[in-house]
Amino acid sequence: MRALISRRCVSDLIQRVHLRGSFLVTRAAWNHMKTQKFGRIIMTSSAAGIYGNFGQANYSAAKLGLLGLSNTLAIEGQKYSIHCNTIAPTAGSRLTETVMPPDLVQSLRAEYVAPLVLWLCHEACQENGGLFEVGRGCVCCGAVRWERSLGRTVRQKNKSMTPEAVRDAWNEICDFTDASKPASIQESLQTLVEVLSRVEDERGIRANPTGATAGTNPSSAVGQTLPEMSFSYTHMNCILYALGVGMSTREPDQLKFLYEGHEDFSCLPTFGVIPAQSAMTGLGSIPGLNIDFTRLLHGEQYLEMFRALPTSGTLTSRATVADVLDKGSGMVILLDVHTYSGRELVCYNQFSVFVVGAGGFGGKRTSQKAVVNEKPFNTFSWTVSQTVINEWITVSGFESPILHGLCSFGFAARHALKQYAANDVSRFKSIKVRFVKPVYPGQSLQTEMWKEANRIHLQCKVKESGDVVLSGAYIDLHTRDDDAVHSQTDGLQSDLVFAEIGRRIRDAGHELVKKVNAVLGWEISKDGRTVREWTVDLKTGRGSLHTGASEADVIFSVSDEDFMEVVTGKLNPQKAFFSGKLKVKGNIMLSQKLEAVLKDYAKL
């Protein structure tokens, strides 16, 4: 009895130290991380928890519990920029030095683990919910990933499920051919939904409860050509599209997309998806495909322009099924659409659509024909916000209306075209995006971008929640002769802040003049030299914003990078001043007025 009690006390102690101890420390820090909207948490698991180990039931249970805790914290903390990852280190310690040879202990020093931890804690690291085995200087990602067989439904409507049915289907239940890899509880539950649907519809017992294409051969659809589609439009369609993706007559540089009498009247390049989109309706006529269009989701979109779109006319689109992929829980169709004006190729679209529940037909999982982002997006330089139009179209199957992904697609492209190409549609070459989440009424879109040569990497977020709605995205621009000259000053992070200040002056200039009553000057530097000067006049009339030097009551000199650190709240202005990063000339007391100008942009 005493031995039993002793073993139980030791087991409880292991749980308290490893699992509950980690929980309590994290709970103490959690609210502070939420308040500052940043945090990095590293849980330390073990190979014994991941794989199990003889004689270590208590330790293994505690260590695997840490992984479950970490996975949940990663989900809950994501919108606050709190990332949680788990490491399973193999390192020499006082506990192992008595049972391992000295040279082995030496090769397992903690110095070979610490760099991974430091990187996972860095603000530039976007990894979240990851599991890493590390030791001897080797780092392995995803030591364990949940893999699930396609399985088999072993019951029928109004009939009892029996152990004999499980026994007879055991080989199929344990067959990991074309296994799925659910990455969330939502994906995991999708199988349950599909099974219940099939049982209720009395569609019988069949391998792969997610397969919706039994009796067909989806792979045979590859190379099939869809019926040719024509699309006629006028300048009004171009204008309505521009309005739909947030263009406004309040912005003078946007009139070229909204007024047909403008000397440079143009059609937004992303309008090129509109004439091509109707081609998808022809998928239902392709032999081998059995598509329930109520289960069809738009996954990714690629658009390449070969010339500027006409502002009116008739375009012809020719579509081909480029590839069909089996993703286990669904089927992906790659549809190539070439759009012509007469005989001239205007643009090329690749639609990537996902048919829920149509996988499991034994097809391949990847395709070389898919257009991909070869260089993943790593860093964001600045953001621009645009309120989503409140005119919503109800979409079947959703509890509330949503904004179509191609509208978010248009918003993001418009932001990039304005900032990096001065709304010159002839410079727009191509765009690729992945649709991640919907946008709902009352939410705002925020585009985050980073330019490298002629490629703009971007993603689109819901400003209120931080949810990413477009990811893995980029826009390519055509080279301009004077790019080398402009590259020294283009893409300043601060430009967007001042653009927003200018908008606010137009909307609430009188109120700002009352609060500030001063002329503020800014000297923005990059690489040690001043490259931009701004004057914010909030002393007379409705106020104004313009570039160039001017007599100001106070002038702030700061680098572009440090300016953004101050605006986003990462750098305290007072500390910036005393460290020499922020210099002030003139009436220094007016620096207290900055809050009235910048406070609404702390989360750009």
Side-chain angles (χ1 to χ4, degrees), residues 144-426:
V144 172
R145 289 188 180 275
W146 181 256
E147 185 177 50
R148 185 174 62 195
S149 69
L150 295 178
R152 173 160 178 173
T153 304
V154 291
R155 77 177 182 94
Q156 298 182 48
K157 188 176 182 180
N158 299 324
K159 292 185 179 180
S160 298
M161 178 178 168
T162 66
E164 288 78 12
V166 176
R167 177 200 62 198
D168 295 342
W170 194 249
N171 288 338
E172 293 180 65
I173 292 171
C174 298
D175 182 4
F176 280 85
T177 303
D178 296 321
S180 63
K181 295 178 176 61
S184 68
I185 194 169
Q186 289 79 14
E187 292 183 20
S188 176
L189 291 175
Q190 181 62 38
T191 297
L192 176 61
V193 174
E194 293 292 333
V195 170
L196 291 176
S197 174
R198 291 189 171 280
V199 171
E200 288 301 312
D201 290 346
E202 296 186 299
R203 283 180 277 178
I205 302 175
R206 60 186 67 191
N208 183 14
T210 63
T213 56
T216 66
N217 182 13
S219 299
S220 66
V222 176
Q224 295 289 325
T225 300
L226 280 66
E228 187 173 281
M229 305 290 290
S230 294
F231 179 82
S232 298
Y233 64 105
T234 69
H235 65 273
M236 285 301 297
N237 297 90
C238 301
I239 293 172
L240 288 172
Y241 177 82
L243 289 170
V245 297
M247 287 288 186
S248 170
T249 55
R250 292 183 299 178
E251 302 289 342
D253 61 347
Q254 296 180 7
L255 287 176
K256 63 183 290 185
F257 300 106
L258 300 173
Y259 174 47
E260 70 275 17
H262 193 281
E263 61 181 3
D264 193 25
F265 179 58
S266 304
C267 183
L268 279 169
T270 48
F271 183 77
V273 300
I274 304 301
Q277 192 176 19
S278 59
M280 283 197 294
T281 60
L283 287 173
S285 64
I286 296 295
L289 295 181
N290 179 22
I291 298 176
D292 180 353
F293 281 90
T294 65
R295 293 177 175 269
L296 188 145
L297 302 174
H298 198 163
E300 299 184 15
Q301 182 68 34
Y302 176 76
L303 167 66
E304 184 172 355
M305 304 301 302
F306 296 96
R307 53 155 291 188
L309 284 166
T311 54
S312 63
T314 299
L315 301 178
T316 303
S317 294
R318 301 164 190 166
T320 304
V321 179
D323 221 337
V324 178
L325 308 178
D326 185 354
K327 295 296 186 178
S329 61
M331 173 174 63
V332 171
I333 302 172
L334 299 179
L335 185 66
D336 286 348
V337 185
H338 292 82
T339 300
Y340 299 83
S341 176
R343 294 184 177 181
E344 184 179 11
L345 179 62
V346 176
C347 62
Y348 158 70
N349 281 271
Q350 184 177 88
F351 295 84
S352 176
V353 296
F354 185 83
V355 187
V356 179
F361 53 86
K364 60 184 180 179
R365 299 184 67 87
T366 60
S367 173
Q368 295 182 343
K369 299 177 182 178
V371 179
V372 297
N373 186 351
E374 297 175 353
K375 183 177 178 62
F377 184 85
N378 294 316
T379 311
F380 310 138
S381 292
W382 45 262
T383 62
V384 56
S385 302
Q386 172 66 48
T387 303
V388 177
I389 286 181
N390 288 325
E391 298 293 331
W392 296 86
I393 301 175
T394 302
V395 179
S396 175
F398 288 88
E399 294 182 0
S400 62
I402 67 168
L403 190 72
H404 196 287
L406 284 178
C407 190
S408 303
F409 170 89
F411 267 81
R414 176 174 67 80
H415 293 159
L417 188 67
K418 174 184 174 66
Q419 179 62 19
Y420 290 116
N423 283 331
D424 182 356
V425 297
S426 67

Side-chain angles (χ1 to χ4, degrees), residues 6 17 76 101 379 485 553 562:
S6 177
V17 169
E76 294 182 355
T379 311
V485 176
D553 299 306
D562 290 335

Side-chain angles (χ1 to χ4, degrees), residues 101-169:
D103 57 338
L104 180 58
V105 174
Q106 183 65 16
S107 70
L108 296 174
R109 288 183 298 169
E111 287 90 331
Y112 300 142
V113 175
L116 169 64
V117 176
L118 290 174
W119 167 241
L120 290 174
C121 290
H122 197 279
E123 62 182 12
C125 180
Q126 298 301 307
E127 185 67 36
N128 191 27
L131 169 63
F132 301 88
E133 281 189 298
V134 56
R136 293 188 176 185
C138 178
V139 180
C140 301
C141 176
V144 172
R145 289 188 180 275
W146 181 256
E147 185 177 50
R148 185 174 62 195
S149 69
L150 295 178
R152 173 160 178 173
T153 304
V154 291
R155 77 177 182 94
Q156 298 182 48
K157 188 176 182 180
N158 299 324
K159 292 185 179 180
S160 298
M161 178 178 168
T162 66
E164 288 78 12
V166 176
R167 177 200 62 198
D168 295 342

